[in-house]
Amino acid sequence: MAVVDPSRAPAAPSGARPAPPLLRVQEVAKSFGATRALRSCSLEVAAGEVHAIVGENGSGKSTLVKLLAGVHLPDAGTIELTATPSPGRRSPRSVQAAGIFTVFQEVLVVGGQSVLQNVWLGSDGLFRRSVSESAQRARASEVLGELLSAPPPLDAPVASLSLSERQACCIARALVRSPRVLILDESTSALDVATRDRLFTVVRRLCASGGAVIFISHRMGEIDELADRITVLRSGESVASFARGEATADELVRQMTGSDHLTAGTERAPAGRGGATSGRILLRTRALRLRPGGRPIDFQLAAGELVGLAGLEGHGQHALLDALRGAGAVAGDVSTGDERLLRSPQDAFAAGIAYVPRDRRDESLFPSLAISENFGVATMGADRRAGLFSRRRSAARLANYVSELAIRLGSPRQPITALSGGNQQKVVVARWLAAHPAVLLLNDPTRGVDLGAKRDLYRLLERLSSEGVGVVMLSTELDELVELMDRVLVFREGSVEAEVPRSELSADGLVRRFFGGGGAQSDAN
Amino acid sequence: MSATLEPPGGTRGATPAGPSALARLMMLQRRFQLFQLLALGLLFLWGATTVTDFATALSIKSMLVSAAFLGLAGAGQTLVVLVGGIDFSVPAFISGGAILISQLCGTYHWSAVAAIAVILGAALLLGAINGYVSDRFQVPSLVVTLGMSSMITGGLLLWTKGAATGAAPAFLATVTSVGTRTFGVGIPPLVVLWAVVAIVLGVTLGRTVPGRRVYQTGANPVAAQFSLVRTRRVWTLTFAASGLLGGILGILVGGYTGSGNTTLGDPYLFEGLAAVIVGGTTFGARGDYWKTVIGALLLTVLTTVLIGKGYSNADQQMIFGLLILLVVAGYGRSPRLRDRI
């Protein structure tokens, strides 16, 4: 298996710079009601190039993608696919007919349908197939084989796949149609490292054959690795465009935020720690097995400790979090430091253990309810006055966290859907902070969250740990594992493959362990 | 999540001047049911100016009594729709309440208190079974409540041998009569009872923790579970409340008509649901009981005007159906759905 270091491997440069632009976007603007999502965005995508678009949440990236995909029509400006004449009125159908395919940020699959049906979703008419079934099967297995080392059977229901595999199906949906321009909107955030590396190979080949890829990601490592050109969006405007190597990461961040105050390092000073982690035990597991036949896990979390959980998708890190939040495991038990056994999530919460789930939209948000209620749902007892629930009290409690987490919101009575993804996530984190937990469990909390919001969250975690809160965080971002954690447990096939202390943490070392390799010493082999 | 909707003053920098007139109107509509209230007012005016004796005290009282029956039929349904289900057994609870109160008091000579206690206890229990079963076994509540409805109706037919006998206690006829005064005030007791139910439900849903749990469970059951809401309990209790309200309405309908039969409750299913939907409560935990109250008033005034103009029952049904389609289509237009990709 080819293990490509995801953060630093040099990309094959695609050369040919003066190629004619394949796609030209000129000064497009789009408003939704009173909100100006895009003010003026221009960019040119050349054939053979990976064109990254970066910007904070709310900078207009997703709106731009929806305009390119034909989901929305621009209020002003033009979008031309230069090789073909303008396809009349833009619609998702006409845009796809012109060869532009989009993989959206959300994992959009039809759970009850098979892998094959999901990959070819939307291609068939009501009564007729556009491609024969045998051709569909051949093409689907070819593309899935490129993306996944162990592709699922084509007839398996998509609901049985892991998140990463489902996202791979969404990507395959675009790839089987042989796109001229492929738009990947945060499509890598749900992928495990191996699949992502395979996707990058596919992307490079697509570009080498004259196509182009528009790539959106919050992970600077991926941008570094893949992008030939980077356009920065800020507040709905394209503010800068750099060729590969022209801008440092700091320069990009400065362009994205419009200031450089966020570029100050978040790396924790190792000297300031040490003492804090020698505190009392908050949580421990005894002979915990995450799957039948897995090695038992005896894990202890001390006060003030920040522990990372890492590994390829579905290797047990999620199951450990579930066990720690009281939702059970195959065998063994979980107890608090004072030996209270945790038999249910209710037990765990009563013992001061709060869990921030992974999927914000499906597992955390109440879309029709107000921001303040989304915040207060787990601690409603505190909002009771004379037996009645007081919205005002809930909003007042939320106000305590608005400045600390730098949540940007209008009125707490607005529906939660009025906020951008990063701010929604902050409200969800505040929900659990409001319970004043002794242990905070987080499941990939920075997935799809912009850099500014990430740093706000890192600062918060540091403060919590300095106050003696124990934190266990599953993360798919190597950088945050390396920079933030006191130790990282690497999972493989349902067991803890390795426990890496802070002093030995490195992105390369972690990835090697994901695949069952040893630590730094295996470099010699 | 899409980045298209941003709070004013978000990362985008400059704050927009303010919501447009249309956005403001939509906000008023969401909070105060502007459209429904306007329609109610206009319909009433239309009736008052074109139908003879429409706006007399007696006519208004009888409209209020009709609206109370309708509103009570929509009460349990409102709760159930908010939690994300639907209750097709409401008519069976109504028929059951009416038959039991007549038969137990009239034929078996039970005291009214004992009969009412038995009816309400049974309604609570059977309603709870509805909610528990659909949540525990993940069966759509539509199916479970249809089954329950069939079982209750069958059981009643068996017990009454097909012909319900007896008569409801006389005081129930007084309570539900249009002409009765409440403590000397010229408002029918049924209307006062409806107002009490409305206040209790309104406060419970809006201002108590159990009430908010109904919304949270309905808005996103998975997120509710992760937020330590005991969603099975919420479902069970919500359907129990719906059963209870159905039982209460059954006793009242029994008093109003004097006796019971197994098809007595049937019209209340569609009309109760119509009051909920026309009022503006929708699946996904949007709405409250006040909206259903407005819906019930609106439909009652509409019916009265239509009858006054000589429209037949069939015409009325068609107009009700059209109204539901219009309202549902109106809600389907909310911009959120468009941006959900």
Side-chain angles (χ1 to χ4, degrees):
Chain A
M1 184 178 303
V3 181
V4 180
D5 173 8
S7 59
R8 262 168 288 279
S14 53
R17 179 108 295 280
L22 204 55
L23 183 72
R24 183 184 286 134
V25 177
Q26 279 179 313
E27 297 180 353
V28 294
K30 179 73 187 173
S31 297
F32 297 97
T35 310
R36 294 180 68 185
L38 266 186
R39 285 157 198 273
S40 169
C41 173
S42 303
L43 56 96
E44 287 188 356
V45 181
E49 111 181 332
V50 177
H51 195 122
I53 295 169
V54 298
E56 298 204 88
N57 275 353
S59 61
K61 300 184 302 291
S62 296
T63 305
L64 176 63
V65 167
K66 285 179 188 166
L67 291 175
L68 293 176
V71 175
H72 297 313
L73 295 175
D75 297 337
T78 57
I79 300 172
E80 308 167 59
L81 190 65
T82 44
T84 53
S86 179
R89 189 186 140 90
R90 290 178 68 81
S91 69
R93 198 171 287 278
S94 72
V95 166
Q96 291 190 3
I100 302 182
F101 290 90
T102 308
V103 181
F104 290 99
Q105 178 177 4
E106 309 286 344
V107 179
L108 300 167
V109 290
V110 184
Q113 300 257 37
S114 72
V115 170
L116 182 72
Q117 283 164 324
N118 267 283
V119 166
W120 284 98
L121 190 69
S123 75
D124 288 335
L126 200 50
F127 303 109
R128 285 177 48 183
R129 283 180 190 274
S130 56
V131 183
S132 76
E133 181 170 357
S134 57
Q136 284 190 352
R137 286 186 160 273
R139 184 87 180 108
S141 26
E142 178 192 351
V143 168
L144 284 172
E146 285 172 342
L147 287 176
L148 297 167
S149 57
L154 290 178
D155 297 314
V158 155
S160 69
L161 305 186
S162 73
L163 183 67
S164 181
E165 288 172 321
R166 287 184 215 185
Q167 181 65 311
C169 286
C170 294
I171 296 171
R173 189 183 299 153
L175 290 175
V176 291
R177 288 143 162 105
S178 310
R180 286 161 55 81
V181 178
L182 174 67
I183 304 174
L184 298 171
D185 182 6
E186 292 258 350
S187 319
T188 51
S189 59
L191 292 181
D192 62 41
V193 180
T195 310
R196 190 183 59 183
D197 289 341
R198 285 162 159 267
L199 171 65
F200 285 3
T201 311
V202 174
V203 159
R204 292 196 189 97
R205 202 178 53 235
L206 181 73
C207 290
S209 65
V213 174
I214 295 176
F215 182 71
I216 294 174
S217 169
H218 281 310
R219 294 174 175 163
M220 293 315 262
E222 296 180 351
I223 306 268
D224 248 15
E225 184 182 346
L226 203 61
D228 300 311
R229 178 158 282 276
I230 303 171
T231 293
V232 182
L233 281 187
R234 183 172 76 224
S235 306
E237 286 178 62
S238 45
V239 291
S241 186
F242 303 102
R244 161 177 290 277
E246 267 182 12
T248 61
D250 282 353
E251 172 69 17
L252 286 176
V253 171
R254 195 155 52 240
Q255 290 291 350
M256 279 190 266
T257 57
S259 68
D260 48 8
H261 69 278
L262 282 168
T263 57
T266 54
E267 194 161 344
R268 301 198 303 170
R273 311 206 27 94
T277 59
S278 62
R280 66 206 161 83
I281 301 299
L282 298 176
L283 199 58
R284 62 163 59 93
T285 72
R286 282 202 188 81
L288 190 76
R289 283 177 208 273
L290 302 175
R291 40 177 97 158
R295 286 197 296 276
I297 298 171
D298 292 290
F299 168 77
Q300 293 192 334
L301 178 71
E305 216 181 2
L306 264 169
V307 178
L309 307 182
L312 298 178
E313 166 92 21
H315 276 252
Q317 56 275 45
H318 194 134
L320 178 65
L321 272 188
D322 273 345
L324 294 181
R325 73 178 179 90
V330 171
D333 50 47
V334 180
S335 57
T336 60
D338 49 5
E339 301 298 336
R340 261 193 293 169
L341 220 52
L342 305 179
R343 290 195 183 86
S344 70
Q346 274 78 13
D347 276 1
F349 187 64
I353 297 162
Y355 173 64
V356 181
R358 177 176 206 169
D359 190 322
R360 192 165 57 231
R361 196 186 63 180
D362 290 347
E363 298 173 345
S364 286
L365 295 182
F366 301 96
S368 55
L369 301 183
I371 297 169
S372 62
E373 187 160 354
N374 268 279
F375 156 74
V377 56
T379 47
M380 288 188 77
D383 297 327
R384 258 191 305 216
R385 189 158 37 188
L388 291 183
F389 162 69
S390 157
R391 233 173 267 266
R392 192 170 303 161
R393 196 170 272 208
S394 199
R397 283 200 302 135
L398 172 61
N400 297 333
Y401 297 93
V402 165
S403 58
E404 181 181 352
L405 293 174
I407 306 175
R408 295 195 186 98
L409 52 81
S411 153
R413 300 189 65 159
Q414 281 180 307
I416 187 80
T417 45
L419 299 183
S420 70
N423 284 310
Q424 290 176 349
Q425 183 70 347
K426 288 175 179 178
V427 171
V428 171
V429 171
R431 171 191 298 170
W432 298 107
L433 289 183
H436 304 292
V439 174
L440 188 62
L441 309 174
L442 301 124
N443 195 340
D444 213 3
T446 58
R447 189 163 77 96
V449 164
D450 68 77
L451 211 57
K454 271 181 196 170
R455 295 206 161 151
D456 293 334
L457 191 71
Y458 298 158
R459 263 193 290 277
L460 170 81
L461 294 182
E462 281 166 30
R463 183 182 67 72
L464 289 176
S465 91
S466 73
E467 288 169 4
V469 175
V471 178
V472 181
M473 175 164 140
L474 184 158
S475 173
T476 50
E477 295 232 21
L478 295 169
D479 289 348
E480 71 190 22
L481 289 167
V482 171
E483 288 184 18
L484 210 62
M485 301 300 162
D486 292 316
R487 58 189 163 116
V488 172
L489 305 186
V490 178
F491 285 77
R492 185 160 165 75
E493 287 165 7
S495 304
V496 176
E497 172 82 12
E499 180 175 335
V500 188
R502 179 171 183 78
S503 56
E504 293 171 25
L505 279 174
S506 73
D508 313 20
L510 285 178
V511 173
R512 252 195 307 276
R513 286 183 164 101
F514 290 177
F515 293 95
Q521 65 272 33
S522 71
D523 280 343
N525 300 347
Chain B
M1 187 66 39
S2 100
T4 49
L5 285 165
E6 268 288 294
T11 41
R12 208 153 280 139
T15 312
S20 67
L22 185 73
R24 256 183 227 165
L25 209 66
M26 289 298 289
M27 215 175 70
L28 282 175
Q29 167 64 19
R30 265 201 300 278
R31 285 185 59 184
F32 303 112
Q33 304 309 97
L34 206 60
F35 172 78
Q36 281 88 341
L37 282 174
L38 208 66
L40 177 60
L42 289 177
L43 270 173
F44 187 82
L45 270 178
W46 191 38
T49 49
T50 60
V51 178
T52 16
D53 289 339
F54 185 85
T56 60
L58 184 68
S59 156
I60 291 175
K61 275 189 209 170
S62 83
M63 277 194 269
L64 282 174
V65 167
S66 302
F69 279 118
L70 191 53
L72 287 171
Q77 201 69 267
T78 304
L79 297 176
V80 168
V81 166
L82 283 176
V83 88
I86 197 161
D87 190 347
F88 272 31
S89 59
V90 168
F93 283 102
I94 295 174
S95 306
I99 290 175
L100 281 170
I101 195 77
S102 311
Q103 193 120 351
L104 290 179
C105 296
T107 310
Y108 294 90
H109 304 296
W110 286 31
S111 77
V113 174
I116 289 174
V118 164
I119 292 168
L120 298 188
L124 262 177
L125 181 71
L126 294 175
I129 292 173
N130 270 338
Y132 180 84
V133 169
S134 37
D135 189 74
R136 171 69 181 76
F137 301 103
Q138 291 295 301
V139 189
S141 51
L142 184 140
V143 177
V144 175
T145 53
L146 267 180
M148 177 61 76
S149 175
S150 184
M151 270 168 31
I152 293 175
T153 311
L156 288 170
L157 280 172
L158 198 67
W159 184 58
T160 60
K161 302 192 179 63
T165 56
F171 82 92
L172 282 173
T174 319
V175 166
T176 51
S177 145
V178 174
T180 314
R181 301 164 73 85
T182 314
F183 305 123
V185 184
I187 303 172
L190 182 68
V191 177
V192 175
L193 181 73
W194 183 33
V196 171
V197 169
I199 289 168
V200 169
L201 277 186
V203 171
T204 306
L205 282 174
R207 297 291 308 275
T208 69
V209 173
R212 298 318 299 172
R213 296 298 187 218
V214 170
Y215 285 89
Q216 291 154 8
T217 305
N220 186 344
V222 177
Q225 275 164 18
F226 275 112
S227 304
L228 288 318
V229 176
R230 296 177 187 269
T231 52
R232 180 159 306 149
R233 195 178 290 177
V234 174
W235 266 69
T236 307
L237 290 177
T238 305
F239 277 82
S242 177
L244 179 71
L245 286 159
I248 293 175
L249 181 57
I251 295 170
L252 295 168
V253 169
Y256 188 74
T257 54
S259 64
N261 68 67
T262 49
T263 58
L264 200 57
D266 291 356
Y268 289 98
L269 174 62
F270 179 70
E271 288 178 17
L273 203 53
V276 174
I277 294 170
V278 169
T281 295
T282 53
F283 299 97
R286 288 162 221 270
D288 52 51
Y289 188 59
W290 304 116
K291 295 189 163 78
T292 304
V293 169
I294 295 171
L297 289 169
L298 181 59
L299 290 181
T300 308
V301 173
L302 177 65
T303 311
T304 313
V305 172
L306 292 177
I307 291 172
K309 302 236 163 247
Y311 284 94
S312 71
N313 212 340
D315 296 324
Q316 289 170 38
Q317 280 202 18
M318 284 167 59
I319 290 170
F320 271 36
L322 190 68
L323 204 58
I324 290 179
L325 287 180
L326 278 177
V327 171
V328 171
Y331 280 93
R333 295 291 307 157
S334 69
R336 278 192 58 259
L337 283 171
R338 240 183 18 209
D339 293 325
R340 287 273 311 262
I341 294 187

